[in-house]
Amino acid sequence: MTLERKVAKLFRLTDETWMKHANPWSVYTRYSVLPFIVLAFWSRVWIGWWCLVPGLVAILWMFFNPVLFSKPKSTKNWASKSVLGERVYLNRDNVRIPDIHITPLYTILNIISSVGMLLSIWAIVYYSIWGAILGVALAYLGKSWYLDRMVWLYESMKSENEDYKKWEY
C-alpha cells in the first residue's frame, strides 16, 4: 500500500468523496488551512489558550473540506484535474503510470512542502514573521508545483484508462 493510499484512508476518500474533493472550491479553500493555523497559534500571545479554538477549527477544516463540497459541475479545470491526478498517482500500484512520471520530483516537491510546514511550526514557536512567511511560501510552492504535475499525470493517463477518462466531464 502506497503512502498516498494510507493518507487517502485517513481522510476517508471514497469514489464519491474524491469527486467532491475535485470541486475547485475544495481545492482552493484548502489553501487557507496553513495560514489560519499559523495565525491561530501565533495569537497565543493575545488570547492565551483560546488560540486552540481557531487552531482546532483550521485542523478540522483540513479534514472535513474534501467532503463538504458537492461534486463539481465540470472537472475540465486545473484544480479538478490536480485531484484526479492525485487519485491516478495513488493508484499507481494497480495501474502502471508512464515512465516519465516515475520520478523523484514528486518526492522532492513533497519534501519542499514539508520543510515549509516545519519552518512554519518553528516560526510559530519562536514568533518569526519571516520564518512564517517563508515557511508558508515554501509549503505552497511545493504543493502547487506537485498539483501541477498531477494535472500532467492525469492528462497523460485519461486516454490510457477508461475509468480515468470517465472522471472528466
Side-chain angles (χ1 to χ4, degrees):
M1 181 181 285
T2 63
L3 173 64
E4 293 83 6
R5 192 178 306 279
K6 290 176 184 174
V7 171
K9 280 183 92 172
L10 174 72
F11 283 93
R12 299 175 191 246
L13 291 172
T14 63
D15 287 341
E16 182 182 340
T17 53
W18 269 109
M19 291 314 287
K20 286 181 174 186
H21 186 39
N23 186 320
W25 280 100
S26 175
V27 174
Y28 293 126
T29 58
R30 276 182 71 105
Y31 275 88
S32 68
V33 172
L34 185 56
F36 279 126
I37 289 173
V38 169
L39 287 172
F41 291 108
W42 196 291
S43 70
R44 71 187 184 274
V45 171
W46 312 301
I47 60 176
W49 286 102
W50 285 103
C51 73
L52 295 176
V53 173
L56 182 61
V57 168
I59 291 168
L60 288 172
W61 174 246
M62 177 179 63
F63 278 96
F64 290 111
N65 172 290
V67 297
L68 291 178
F69 295 92
S70 60
K71 286 176 55 175
K73 292 180 181 169
S74 171
T75 58
K76 294 181 180 182
N77 59 75
W78 183 89
S80 294
K81 289 178 183 181
S82 71
V83 171
L84 300 177
E86 286 183 304
R87 195 170 175 194
V88 168
Y89 190 63
L90 173 127
N91 198 38
R92 69 189 181 280
D93 55 341
N94 295 324
V95 177
R96 190 174 187 289
I97 62 175
D99 290 340
I100 196 164
H101 293 287
I102 301 172
T103 172
L105 178 62
Y106 301 149
T107 302
I108 292 167
L109 294 174
N110 282 322
I111 289 170
I112 290 169
S113 192
S114 297
V115 167
M117 292 284 292
L118 291 172
L119 183 56
S120 296
I121 292 167
W122 175 87
I124 291 168
V125 172
Y126 292 100
Y127 295 106
S128 169
I129 187 71
W130 295 111
I133 292 169
L134 180 59
V136 170
L138 275 175
Y140 285 171
L141 172 72
K143 183 63 175 178
S144 297
W145 193 355
Y146 175 82
L147 291 178
D148 190 62
R149 298 301 81 201
M150 293 298 105
V151 171
W152 182 32
L153 174 61
Y154 178 70
E155 289 291 348
S156 298
M157 291 296 293
K158 70 181 180 185
S159 61
E160 304 289 321
N161 184 293
E162 208 48 48
D163 286 332
Y164 298 165
K165 192 173 194 172
K166 290 177 189 172
W167 295 345
E168 186 177 57
Y169 54 87

